[in-house]
Amino acid sequence: MSRRTSPVIPGFGLTLGYTLVYLSLLVLIPLGAMFVHAAQLTWDQFWAIISSPRVLAALKLSFGTAFLAAVINGVIGTLLAWVLVRYTFPGRKIIEAMIDLPFALPTAVAGIALTALYAPNGLIGQFATALGFKIAYTPLGITLALTFVTLPFVVRTLQPVLADIPREVEEAAACLGAKPLQVARHVLLPALLPAWLTGFALAFARGVGEYGSVIFIAGNMPMKTEILPLLIMVQLDQYNYAGATAIGVLMLVVSFILLLLINLLQRRISRS
């Protein structure tokens, strides 16, 4: 007579119920409340807020710098993941810990440290000033801060995928006469591309919503170095809740569309 063994966790119905409640409390209800509050505005009022020059400039700056930082980390993060997976060398553990530092370090502390380094009178910024350009208080400084914050997302996404690719595959391709670039293009790239897009999407999403590490190094000049999260805070400080929710809805919709396109591209590549 066989005995029915009980599962380690509760059944599907109970776990699904817990999941939906947890997701609703943390994500769905707050987002729904934001849309409900924004719905109190007429379409003309909503459009006037999101189409103002100040909002459009902040939108372009936030998404542009986040995209650029994600692209930079897509290149640098791939190289770092490759070195950490394929080679063993002294100091490897230290580099591993440094990559995870943005996860543990408060973002405000990171922003203060980066500003101190790259300000016009900073340790590194003074050399940039001598060459005739500034790093801090410019879009370049914002991109630098976002690159620092989002680097672990790309590296940690690519590392397990690289570790699962047998070296024998590369050696077999080389023995058949493939050059290093051909091996990278035809052997490694197809296996890495879905994970690379995932890391890119995570880095991009984190960069769009980043506040703490950017607020100090940006300079916060309207129409020049003012990011969308800061503009939302400005509206809240002025008790303009309608304006803040309208900008938040705009930010959410644009982020959702971009992430949806990235996910669709990733799914298409995975199926091909």
Side-chain angles (χ1 to χ4, degrees):
M1 182 176 180
S2 62
R3 294 182 179 180
R4 182 179 178 182
T5 58
S6 60
V8 177
I9 59 176
F12 172 76
L14 184 59
T15 53
L16 179 62
Y18 280 130
T19 301
L20 292 178
V21 170
Y22 188 78
L23 183 65
S24 299
L25 291 176
L26 291 182
V27 180
L28 299 180
I29 294 178
L31 292 182
M34 185 175 66
F35 276 96
V36 169
H37 195 85
Q40 299 176 4
L41 298 170
T42 65
W43 172 252
D44 292 336
Q45 291 173 332
F46 180 79
W47 180 255
I49 293 173
I50 66 174
S51 63
S52 64
R54 187 175 180 181
V55 173
L56 292 179
L59 178 72
K60 181 180 178 181
L61 178 67
S62 294
F63 282 88
T65 52
F67 181 83
L68 183 58
V71 171
I72 293 173
N73 279 333
V75 177
I76 298 176
T78 302
L79 296 176
L80 282 173
W82 175 265
V83 170
L84 293 175
V85 170
R86 292 303 194 198
Y87 302 102
T88 302
F89 53 90
R92 181 173 175 271
K93 295 296 183 181
I94 297 177
I95 296 178
E96 291 268 9
M98 291 175 62
I99 291 174
D100 289 332
L101 186 62
F103 284 150
L105 188 68
T107 55
V109 175
I112 294 173
L114 292 173
T115 305
L117 281 175
Y118 295 102
N121 59 347
L123 183 62
I124 299 177
Q126 59 182 339
F127 298 105
T129 303
L131 294 175
F133 68 96
K134 293 199 308 181
I135 299 178
Y137 317 129
T138 66
L140 177 60
I142 297 174
T143 304
L144 183 66
L146 295 181
T147 303
F148 170 79
V149 171
T150 59
L151 177 62
F153 292 94
V154 179
V155 177
R156 296 311 183 201
T157 304
L158 289 177
Q159 271 188 294
V161 179
L162 280 170
D164 288 339
I165 299 177
R167 295 189 180 185
E168 291 78 7
V169 176
E170 304 168 41
E171 295 172 356
C175 291
L176 293 174
K179 297 180 181 179
L181 289 179
Q182 292 176 321
V183 174
R185 180 181 177 183
H186 297 288
V187 177
L188 297 178
L189 185 59
L192 287 178
L193 192 54
W196 189 91
L197 287 174
T198 300
F200 176 88
L202 292 173
F204 175 74
R206 172 63 190 276
V208 168
E210 180 59 27
Y211 179 80
S213 64
V214 178
I215 191 69
F216 297 102
I217 200 171
N220 310 322
M221 294 178 286
M223 306 293 294
K224 293 182 179 180
T225 59
E226 187 178 50
I227 58 174
L228 273 178
L230 173 64
L231 188 54
I232 293 175
M233 292 299 300
V234 170
Q235 299 298 321
L236 291 175
D237 290 339
Q238 297 174 354
Y239 300 101
N240 184 11
Y241 300 114
T245 52
I247 298 171
V249 169
L250 171 66
M251 193 174 180
L252 178 64
V253 170
V254 175
S255 299
F256 178 79
I257 293 174
L258 291 176
L259 291 176
L260 178 62
L261 293 175
I262 293 173
N263 288 331
L264 290 176
L265 178 61
Q266 179 188 11
R267 182 174 298 181
R268 183 175 181 181
I269 293 174
S270 299
R271 290 179 177 178
S272 62

